[in-house]
Amino acid sequence: MPPTTTYFDQLRQAGYYNQRMSRHEFWTFTLVNAMLTYLVHGIPVLNAAAFLVFLVLTGFAMCQRLNDAEISRKWLIMLFLPYVNVIGLFWLLIYMCQPSYPATNDHGPCRV
């Protein structure tokens, strides 16, 4: 599946944090978000707005990815704690690389 198709499919499902997102979908979505943020970096008005939009979209994508790996979303709270967020970011990076939970869980069937 082309990256643009994956990205637009995930944009349509962005507000639903109670779904699943496979590892491929998550990293494609994150990479396209990073490229778009870099493209609007030079435009001051779009820079702040795009940063906030992409931050919220990445938060929803991280929730969906944790749902897919059958890991509690409570791990995202570590990003907001001072001095702990560096360690939390490291652990979340490891969790984002975990394979999908192969069976159906509370958030739907496996989409791999």
Side-chain angles (χ1 to χ4, degrees):
M1 189 179 289
T4 54
T5 305
T6 302
Y7 184 76
F8 289 122
D9 286 345
Q10 291 308 316
L11 271 181
R12 276 188 243 120
Q13 299 174 4
Y16 305 109
Y17 65 90
N18 208 15
Q19 293 183 352
R20 296 175 75 163
M21 181 184 285
S22 70
R23 203 173 11 181
H24 171 73
E25 292 170 339
F26 174 77
W27 287 111
T28 303
F29 186 75
T30 304
L31 179 66
V32 173
N33 269 348
M35 289 188 306
L36 290 175
T37 303
Y38 180 75
L39 288 176
V40 299
H41 181 68
I43 305 167
V45 175
L46 285 179
N47 190 15
F51 174 75
L52 291 175
V53 168
F54 293 146
L55 184 69
V56 170
L57 289 175
T58 303
F60 280 122
M62 290 175 87
C63 284
Q64 290 179 359
R65 180 69 198 122
L66 289 174
N67 289 340
D68 186 57
E70 194 68 19
I71 298 168
S72 174
R73 293 187 302 246
K74 294 176 186 175
W75 282 96
L76 290 175
I77 295 172
M78 287 181 54
L79 293 178
F80 299 107
L81 299 175
Y83 304 113
V84 179
N85 57 5
V86 175
I87 298 167
L89 188 61
F90 175 73
W91 278 111
L92 279 174
L93 181 64
I94 291 172
Y95 284 151
M96 296 300 150
C97 295
Q98 295 290 322
S100 297
Y101 185 71
T104 300
N105 63 12
D106 295 337
H107 309 289
C110 185
R111 297 193 323 200
V112 175

